Amino acid sequence: THIVRASDGYDMHRLEQVNQISRRLRKGEASVHESIRDIEVVMATAPIYPWYLRLMFSFVQSFFASMTLFHGSWREGLLAGGLGIMVGAFELLSSNHLTIGYLLNVVPPLIVALVAALLSDHICFAAVPMAASLNLLPGLGLALAMMELSSNNVICGTVRLVSATMTSFMLGWSTTVGYNLGMAILGKEGESTGLSSECEGLSMLWWILFVPCLSAGFAVWFKVHWKQWPAVIFASTMGLIIQTFCDRVH
């Protein structure tokens, strides 16, 4: 029995290339040996986006997510973006260092919540932690789990579901600990209003600019080819419009 550890993260560009190779094999346009050779070439090529560009776009993600998804202002956006770079660097390091990967869902959210709590007198706390830790949220993993379960892939779906659930617990625990630690340093123990408070964000007209930028940030982080960005931006915009409409109706 050989146990092979899969690398963390997603590479949508390579996934699309491998999918094309499998289609050619299925149609008989390529042999098994040719397909294996093509897959080896795909895996040997450098990532479509370098690490420093992905790190820069982790700021873009957190900055615009804070002001759209969590209704923050410019101050919360800048703070979330700065902390998002720290989280992004931690995640990039975890892909090469197994020990750091074990702490990925604990240490960065704790630091983010601690810093946001220490600045809670000047910012809206609720708009910072989740925006800065956006790449750690298990939303995609949960969606994949539901797809696997609906396709009767019980084992794979259950594993993904349990993993996403445990990740959510760890993120919530780390955020709570970081917030309580910050409040203790400020001498405000027992105050938990920041965890449930709602922020007064910018006008929704800004979302016309913010949503495409946020979608581009996601595309770079998940290594989506730039030719597919219009589709990503369109899907993200429609999803946000539907969610906003449903929230107002409710």
Side-chain angles (χ1 to χ4, degrees):
T1 301
H2 297 276
I3 299 176
V4 179
R5 184 177 183 272
S7 59
D8 297 329
Y10 299 90
D11 193 327
M12 296 302 180
H13 180 54
R14 284 180 176 172
L15 178 62
E16 175 62 22
Q17 290 179 311
V18 172
N19 192 31
Q20 291 177 357
I21 294 172
S22 69
R23 289 177 181 174
R24 290 198 299 267
L25 176 63
R26 189 170 61 251
K27 293 178 180 179
E29 298 175 355
S31 65
V32 174
H33 295 291
E34 290 174 341
S35 300
I36 293 176
R37 184 192 60 211
D38 292 340
I39 291 175
E40 291 175 346
V41 171
V42 170
M43 298 306 297
T45 55
I48 185 173
Y49 303 117
W51 65 269
Y52 54 84
L53 183 62
R54 296 181 68 207
L55 196 60
M56 289 171 54
F57 270 83
S58 64
F59 173 88
V60 174
Q61 276 183 284
S62 299
F63 177 76
F64 290 108
S66 176
M67 294 185 291
T68 53
L69 304 180
F70 303 101
H71 307 287
S73 65
W74 297 104
R75 287 181 299 180
E76 287 82 18
L78 289 172
L79 179 59
L83 293 172
I85 293 179
M86 182 272 296
V87 176
F90 207 100
E91 189 167 1
L92 290 175
L93 288 173
S94 69
S95 61
N96 297 321
H97 302 280
L98 186 60
T99 304
I100 298 178
Y102 291 143
L103 304 174
L104 180 61
N105 294 321
V106 177
V107 176
L110 192 151
I111 297 175
V112 168
L114 173 61
V115 174
L118 293 175
L119 298 174
S120 58
D121 290 338
H122 309 284
I123 63 167
C124 179
F125 177 86
V128 176
M130 292 297 101
S133 305
L134 196 63
N135 290 323
L136 303 180
L137 300 179
L140 181 56
L142 186 60
L144 293 175
M146 295 298 103
M147 291 175 61
E148 296 285 0
L149 291 174
S150 63
S151 302
N152 293 325
N153 295 322
V154 179
I155 296 177
C156 184
T158 303
V159 170
R160 289 183 182 275
L161 180 60
V162 172
S163 176
T165 303
M166 293 305 300
T167 299
S168 301
F169 284 147
M170 287 188 287
L171 292 175
W173 178 84
S174 301
T175 300
T176 303
V177 171
Y179 177 80
N180 291 334
L181 182 58
M183 291 294 101
I185 294 175
L186 295 176
K188 299 180 180 180
E189 295 140 301
E191 295 187 15
S192 58
T193 54
L195 293 172
S196 58
S197 60
E198 294 186 3
C199 305
E200 297 181 4
L202 302 174
S203 171
M204 293 183 66
L205 294 176
W206 282 102
W207 290 19
I208 300 174
L209 173 64
F210 290 170
V211 173
C213 294
L214 176 60
S215 302
F218 277 116
V220 171
W221 187 260
F222 289 108
K223 302 176 186 176
V224 178
H225 196 278
W226 62 269
K227 292 181 180 179
Q228 296 176 324
W229 284 20
V232 172
I233 293 174
F234 175 77
S236 302
T237 302
M238 293 305 298
L240 191 59
I241 290 175
I242 294 173
Q243 178 187 353
T244 303
F245 176 77
C246 292
D247 289 342
R248 287 177 176 261
V249 171
H250 177 72

